[in-house]
Amino acid sequence: MMVTTENGWESIPPSKVVRRGITGTNIVLPLHPHDCGFVLISFAAMYNRDIEPLTGGASDEGGYTETNSVYTSNHKSGTGIDLNWNKYPFRKKTMPAERVGRVKQLQVGFRGLIDWGRDCWGGNPVDEMHYQVAKGRPMQAYVDFANELRAGLFGLYGATAPTLDPVVVPPALNPFGGLLMRGTSGDAVRRLQERLNRDYPRYSRLAADGDFGPATEHVVREFQRRAGLLVDGIAGPATLKALGL
């Protein structure tokens, strides 16, 4: 069952997760497919480069989890990460003051797009290992910042920076500024369903009800497969462009 996690992002199933590598390490974390996940993994890369090394690998860093003891945990939406968790245990302040200041500077550099568990809940609880996509920030802000990172901001990536489907979100089709995927609803989804039914009636006979459920996902996957696109069942900019939307 999908839930709205603490920062406002919907939980996602394992099939939606994208495995993202932290540049400068051999660590790979499962995260959200939207560019918010790219920004989050870039924050981790900057943390590793400029604050302290991430040396624990899979036993010391964490991303998406399908279940969590906290019902609304951001890990369930792939929008939260834990870094050097053995060094920074839950509910304790153990990070040196100088390093705290550097983390806060990094947050400023990321324009408030990343919240820190040390203080984002008013200090109750304290979670110095935890970083997450900020609550209340528009999805488009992550797309824009991700594109700046890919273009060379902070010198983190070169011309071969990793890029996924969501780069520019067509505002006319997708007014809420995100991706169309299972669990989303509204006029944007209805228009997607109508276009699939109109142009691909051989395999698309969807109810144009504006709800992106399993049937819509199945048809989107089939369209992506036939069009030679990444088959993930998510209608992002590349898929929408191929549909003429």
Side-chain angles (χ1 to χ4, degrees):
M1 182 179 68
M2 293 184 63
V3 299
T4 300
T5 61
E6 183 273 333
N7 61 359
W9 289 70
E10 296 294 319
S11 62
I12 57 175
S15 61
K16 302 297 186 189
V17 170
V18 171
R19 296 181 62 80
R20 301 177 184 269
I22 301 177
T23 296
T25 77
N26 61 358
I27 301 168
V28 177
L29 296 181
L31 291 172
H32 199 286
H34 185 266
D35 268 340
C36 70
F38 180 82
V39 172
L40 193 57
I41 207 70
S42 299
F43 185 92
M46 291 287 290
Y47 183 102
N48 174 74
R49 190 187 74 179
D50 296 345
I51 297 177
E52 64 176 350
L54 303 174
T55 57
S59 65
D60 207 26
E61 331 298 336
Y64 169 83
T65 57
E66 185 176 6
T67 60
N68 194 283
S69 59
V70 178
Y71 184 67
T72 59
S73 168
N74 302 297
H75 290 291
K76 294 167 72 173
S77 59
T79 61
I81 56 175
D82 293 333
L83 303 178
N84 285 346
W85 69 47
N86 290 307
K87 185 182 291 186
Y88 304 115
F90 185 50
R91 295 187 183 278
K92 293 184 178 181
K93 289 186 176 181
T94 59
M95 185 177 287
E98 181 271 339
R99 196 168 299 154
V100 169
R102 289 164 65 190
V103 172
K104 289 183 177 294
Q105 287 179 344
L106 185 57
Q107 286 182 282
V108 171
F110 272 66
R111 301 174 192 167
L113 295 174
I114 303 298
D115 283 342
W116 186 15
R118 189 178 196 271
D119 52 26
C120 69
W121 302 297
N124 184 25
V126 171
D127 194 358
E128 288 186 327
M129 73 177 93
H130 184 79
Y131 303 87
Q132 65 185 46
V133 171
K135 186 174 183 177
R137 298 304 302 272
M139 297 174 80
Q140 186 64 41
Y142 292 92
V143 175
D144 294 340
F145 193 68
N147 286 334
E148 290 188 54
L149 288 166
R150 293 184 179 109
L153 183 65
F154 304 136
L156 193 59
Y157 304 112
T160 57
T163 183
L164 293 173
D165 191 23
V167 176
V168 179
V169 178
L173 176 68
N174 203 349
F176 51 81
L179 303 174
L180 299 179
M181 63 177 70
R182 189 187 295 204
T184 56
S185 61
D187 187 60
V189 175
R190 179 185 58 77
R191 291 170 62 186
L192 170 68
Q193 292 165 330
E194 290 174 343
R195 180 60 58 89
L196 287 166
N197 288 344
R198 187 194 76 180
D199 293 351
Y200 305 98
R202 287 190 176 183
Y203 59 87
S204 181
R205 298 178 178 85
L206 297 168
D209 56 7
D211 289 326
F212 199 122
T216 300
E217 181 182 82
H218 175 78
V219 173
V220 169
R221 284 180 175 274
E222 180 63 17
F223 170 77
Q224 291 170 327
R225 184 184 68 79
R226 294 178 182 231
L229 299 169
L230 173 68
V231 180
D232 59 4
I234 299 172
T239 297
L240 298 174
K241 181 179 179 181
L243 284 165
L245 291 169

